[in-house]
Amino acid sequence: MAWCAARSMHVPMIEVGALSKQVPFAGGVGFVSVAGTTLWRSSYSSSKRSVSPFACLGLSTDSRIKEAVQTEKAPAALGPYSQAIKANSFLFVSGVLGLVPETGKFISDSVEDQTEQVLKNMGEILKAGGASYASVVKTTIMLADLNDFKKVNEIYAKYFPSPAPARSTYEVAALPLGAKIEIECIAAT
């Protein structure tokens, strides 16, 4: 059974239909979601109203809307995680290293070679998930040495068409297996 968080906060009821006639866009009250169950209930009985006074959207952790993506054309996950997860029209790609899929070893010790291999591996995961470099909306790059930023940018720019995805880049204390670079991304599907 669901309960109204808005009621407990003494938020007045709003008739959505009347509001939409006055303003082109309206923000709403946030709702709490626990284990995929949205918590809300109005004080009016459903027989007294024809339109629900609140609209609610939420993400669910229901396994039926979450699908693991796996390809042998990219290195296997190094731990208890998926190469990528497809959910709610997005593909969430885990951090990718510059490992050669067939050997599980780094392509070389150079950041340039590892960056190239990371992006090739990422491309295979994107393809397996029904996405592409063009559909990537956000990347996060982790570097063992931020002085490699310019070298990485030159290679990275070859893979992502304009408009380039939003991006964050960080220098980190260490990466798995002593990698020079790791990149994760989110793509629309």
Side-chain angles (χ1 to χ4, degrees):
M1 180 173 257
W3 298 96
C4 181
R7 178 150 169 80
S8 67
M9 295 183 295
H10 304 291
V11 175
M13 300 297 284
I14 300 170
E15 181 61 46
V16 175
L19 184 61
S20 67
K21 294 174 188 168
Q22 296 173 7
V23 292
F25 176 79
V29 174
F31 288 83
V32 177
S33 181
V34 178
T37 303
T38 304
L39 303 175
W40 74 277
R41 172 181 270 197
S42 77
S43 60
Y44 297 114
S45 72
S46 58
S47 63
K48 292 183 181 177
R49 60 188 159 106
S50 60
V51 177
S52 174
F54 291 105
C56 181
L57 297 175
L59 293 177
S60 174
T61 57
D62 188 335
S63 63
R64 291 173 290 177
I65 64 159
K66 182 174 110 173
E67 173 189 344
V69 173
Q70 199 276 328
T71 178
E72 292 183 10
K73 295 181 179 182
L78 299 175
Y81 60 91
S82 301
Q83 288 175 322
I85 290 289
K86 203 173 190 178
N88 296 321
S89 300
F90 285 99
L91 182 66
F92 299 86
V93 179
S94 296
V96 180
L97 301 176
L99 301 171
V100 176
E102 296 80 20
T103 66
K105 306 277 185 211
F106 286 109
I107 188 156
S108 81
D109 196 38
S110 105
V111 72
E112 294 92 344
D113 290 345
Q114 285 189 27
T115 301
E116 195 79 45
Q117 188 64 45
V118 163
L119 292 166
K120 286 178 184 174
N121 292 341
M122 182 179 287
E124 293 297 335
I125 297 168
L126 288 167
K127 189 186 314 179
S132 67
Y133 296 112
S135 64
V136 173
V137 295
K138 172 74 168 86
T139 62
T140 302
I141 300 175
M142 290 145 285
L143 293 170
D145 184 353
L146 201 53
N147 290 318
D148 292 331
F149 186 79
K150 185 176 179 184
K151 296 174 197 173
V152 169
N153 273 343
E154 291 171 7
I155 297 163
Y156 178 95
K158 295 188 299 185
Y159 285 84
F160 295 100
S162 186
R167 184 178 103 180
S168 301
T169 305
Y170 304 98
E171 178 177 305
V172 295
L175 289 167
L177 305 175
K180 304 271 185 186
I181 184 169
E182 180 176 6
I183 304 176
E184 64 183 27
C185 73
I186 302 170
T189 57

